[in-house]
């Protein structure tokens, strides 16, 4: 984050704290239609246009420590095999034999020299090439080269592995836009995976994701925790193309330090704004990342059904000493988990509410514009002409999106 950006954010936080109304020219946001959270037809459009066509977090290179290492992910609704081949390259394939769809692996992770379908014994290399089939004599004019495993787009940002089921999608780095450059200060090539854990929640994925895109709820939900040290009135929001965004919330005291990070070695390259304030990135569509100078959590939101979801929390740290990690990480994660449970507490009841006639739509305010920005991008990815008129979000924030 360069000096110009730093000074602009500082000035914006001062402006936000002092303002008595939304800035001049900010549009009245249309209500987010209720059907976007409950209508099966709309949610089917969302599944096809968003989850099957976006760059999505799959894992970290630490999960593939050597050639032949592999792990399985199912978060997109398809079983996808992530593997490090003999040359050290990371690849992704559907976990589906080209014969009759048998699984190549049945466990969650492991190491192999190749893959053999347990159903009929077809064999593949780590690069996905078919090398042997049982009873080849019974197949007429069989061409091995046409029966390789079906690949899935797989690219990296630092040590983070992303996949995309859309073979025609642009590159990961182009998709990320400005957020990729900002994350460089956290030395993402050198971070190591500390911990991963998941939480199943009985609500549509957008209900919980919405909560992490604003701080309007701090005084109600986090009275004894986050609201004690963050000043939500000074929150500064940056909207970026592609649905991405950044939210910067100042600490109430400039000299305040998160007690969960005290004693943890910092990443020297982290700049002033994320070091001294609470910054949270939304990497579209489903990553919320509130980094600190001592390491960062990545919260990843996944739909499980129209009414259920799972939030995964992955923690990344700079390498420290012979052990590779600060011994203070368990305490830090426990502190964060307590705050997370405060955010989870109402989600099932909200889901129950949005399914009732009492929920007609969402009237969002200026503080909640990241939510509106998220929904605008969803419609663009589905295709504005494909979203039913009664469920469409009016495109209103174009002039408020920063392109540089």
């Amino acid at each position: 984050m360069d000096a110009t950006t730093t000074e602009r954010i500082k000035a914006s936080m001062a402006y936000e704290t002092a303002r008595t109304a939304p800035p001049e020219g900010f549009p009245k946001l249309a209500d987010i239609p209720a059907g976007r959270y409950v209508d099966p037809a709309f949610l089917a459009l969302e599944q096809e246009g968003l989850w099957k066509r976006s760059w999505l977090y799959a894992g970290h290179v630490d999960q593939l420590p050597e050639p032949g290492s592999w792990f399985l992910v199912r978060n997109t609704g398809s079983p996808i095999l992530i593997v490090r081949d003999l040359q050290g390259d990371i690849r992704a394939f559907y976990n589906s034999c080209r014969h009759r769809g048998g699984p190549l692996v049945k466990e969650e992770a492991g190491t192999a020299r190749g893959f053999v379908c347990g159903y009929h014994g077809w064999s593949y290399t780590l690069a996905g090439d078919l090398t042997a089939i049982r009873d080849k004599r019974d197949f007429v004019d069989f061409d091995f080269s046409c029966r390789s495993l079906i690949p899935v787009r797989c690219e990296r940002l630092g040590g983070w592995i992303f996949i995309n089921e859309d073979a025609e999608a642009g590159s990961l780095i182009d998709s990320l836009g400005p957020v990729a450059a900002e994350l460089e200060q956290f030395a993402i090539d050198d971070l190591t995976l500390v911990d991963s854990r998941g939480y199943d929640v009985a609500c549509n994925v957008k209900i919980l994701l919405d909560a992490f895109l604003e701080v309007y709820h701090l005084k109600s939900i986090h009275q004894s925790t986050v609201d004690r040290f963050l000043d939500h009135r000074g929150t500064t929001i940056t909207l970026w193309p592609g649905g991405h965004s950044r939210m910067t919330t100042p600490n109430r005291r400039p000299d305040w330090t998160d007690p969960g990070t005290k004693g943890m070695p910092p990443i020297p390259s982290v700049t002033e704004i994320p070091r001294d304030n609470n910054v949270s990135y939304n990497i579209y569509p489903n990553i919320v990342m509130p980094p600190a100078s001592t390491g960062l959590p990545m919260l990843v939101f996944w739909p499980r059904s129209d009414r259920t979801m799972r939030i995964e929390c992955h923690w990344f740290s700079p390498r420290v000493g012979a052990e590779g990690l600060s011994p203070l990480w368990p305490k830090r994660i426990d502190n964060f988990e307590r705050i997370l449970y405060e955010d989870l507490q109402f989600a099932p009841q909200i889901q129950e509410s949005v399914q009732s006639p009492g929920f007609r739509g969402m009237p969002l305010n200026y503080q909640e514009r990241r939510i509106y920005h998220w929904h605008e991008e969803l419609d663009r990815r589905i295709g504005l002409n494909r979203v039913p008129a009664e469920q469409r979000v009016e495109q209103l924030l174009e002039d408020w999106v920063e392109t540089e």
Side-chain angles (χ1 to χ4, degrees):
M1 192 176 289
D2 60 26
T4 300
T5 302
T6 297
E7 292 308 312
R8 187 168 69 245
I9 291 176
K10 286 182 177 180
S12 182
M13 287 192 292
Y15 164 79
E16 293 290 348
T17 300
R19 67 177 175 83
T20 58
E24 184 177 354
F26 186 78
K28 176 179 173 59
L29 299 177
D31 286 11
I32 302 292
R36 297 169 70 92
Y37 290 78
V38 296
D39 180 11
F42 178 84
L43 296 175
L45 287 174
E46 179 184 295
Q47 175 67 13
E48 175 193 352
L50 180 67
W51 301 103
K52 292 293 186 180
R53 297 180 182 273
S54 297
W55 284 105
L56 303 171
Y57 178 76
H60 189 264
V61 294
D62 284 357
Q63 297 171 255
L64 302 172
E66 59 184 337
S69 299
W70 58 266
F71 62 88
L72 192 63
V73 295
R74 301 183 180 86
N75 287 320
T76 68
S78 303
I80 296 174
L81 183 61
I82 316 294
V83 59
R84 189 185 290 275
D85 68 18
L86 293 177
Q87 286 69 47
D89 295 327
I90 296 175
R91 301 171 178 263
F93 305 99
Y94 289 105
N95 184 35
S96 177
C97 177
R98 294 299 307 280
H99 179 220
R100 284 166 54 189
L104 306 170
V105 301
K106 294 183 287 185
E107 293 76 26
E108 298 303 306
T111 304
R113 296 182 60 83
F115 301 107
V116 179
C117 174
Y119 199 9
H120 293 104
W122 285 30
S123 301
Y124 302 85
T125 68
L126 296 174
D129 298 322
L130 178 64
T131 58
I133 64 173
R134 186 175 299 151
D135 295 339
K136 181 177 179 295
R137 65 179 186 175
D138 292 329
F139 290 85
V140 178
D141 296 331
F142 188 85
D143 187 348
F144 278 70
S145 67
C146 296
R147 303 293 177 176
S148 299
L149 296 178
I150 301 297
V152 177
R153 293 282 301 281
C154 181
E155 297 181 17
R156 285 171 51 188
L157 180 70
W160 300 320
I161 304 166
F162 287 76
I163 56 175
N164 191 329
E165 292 192 68
D166 181 5
E168 304 301 319
S171 70
L172 171 64
I173 196 70
D174 287 345
S175 169
L176 293 175
V179 71
E182 284 221 359
L183 290 174
E184 290 179 1
Q185 66 186 293
F186 298 98
I188 58 177
D189 288 305
D190 301 322
L191 297 179
T192 187
L193 178 63
V194 178
D195 185 87
S196 292
R197 57 188 69 182
Y199 310 81
D200 294 311
V201 188
C203 70
N204 180 271
V205 66
K206 296 189 292 298
I207 286 175
L208 193 60
L209 182 56
D210 287 348
F212 284 79
L213 297 182
E214 47 87 2
V215 287
Y216 188 48
H217 67 282
L218 256 59
K219 287 194 168 297
S220 298
I221 304 300
H222 302 299
Q223 292 178 349
S224 301
T225 54
V226 180
D227 188 55
R228 290 170 44 240
F229 54 85
L230 292 185
D231 181 8
H232 80 283
R233 295 175 67 253
T235 297
T236 296
I237 288 171
T238 304
L239 306 180
W240 283 315
H244 311 299
S245 61
R246 178 186 62 214
M247 180 169 65
T248 305
T249 305
N251 291 322
R252 292 186 183 277
R253 303 193 313 269
D255 61 344
W256 184 88
T257 300
D258 183 348
T261 67
K262 286 183 178 179
M264 301 184 76
I267 302 169
S269 53
V270 174
T271 58
E272 177 183 352
I273 293 297
R275 185 190 66 223
D276 298 338
N277 303 273
N278 183 273
V279 175
S280 181
Y281 297 98
N282 175 213
I283 301 176
Y284 200 87
N286 67 329
I287 293 176
V288 171
M289 187 183 297
S293 59
T294 52
L296 55 91
M298 175 190 286
L299 284 68
V300 193
F301 298 72
W302 296 107
R304 284 290 180 260
S305 73
D306 291 354
R307 300 183 183 184
T308 60
M309 55 86 59
R310 183 172 178 82
I311 179 172
E312 294 177 349
C313 296
H314 308 285
W315 288 89
F316 303 96
S317 169
R319 300 179 190 276
V320 179
E323 296 297 321
L325 293 174
S326 167
L328 299 176
W329 269 104
K331 177 183 176 182
R332 180 174 177 184
I333 294 172
D334 286 346
N335 288 344
F336 185 88
E337 191 172 54
R338 284 196 292 273
I339 297 171
L340 176 63
Y341 279 123
E342 292 176 346
D343 285 299
L344 301 183
Q345 61 181 306
F346 287 126
Q349 287 78 21
I350 295 174
Q351 178 64 39
E352 184 179 28
S353 174
V354 300
Q355 291 168 209
S356 77
F359 181 65
R360 305 290 175 86
M362 292 168 42
L364 299 177
N365 67 28
Y366 172 70
Q367 280 193 48
E368 299 168 299
R369 63 193 181 278
R370 291 175 87 204
I371 300 174
Y372 198 92
H373 180 57
W374 193 98
H375 280 269
E376 284 185 334
E377 178 65 18
L378 174 58
D379 282 10
R380 290 191 291 267
R381 296 205 181 193
I382 293 173
L384 298 180
N385 62 333
R386 300 185 64 207
V387 180
E390 68 276 10
Q391 292 175 352
R392 195 176 302 151
V393 169
E394 187 177 355
Q395 302 284 307
L396 296 172
L397 292 177
E398 180 180 1
D399 292 340
W400 297 82
V401 175
E402 295 188 13
T403 56
E404 297 181 0

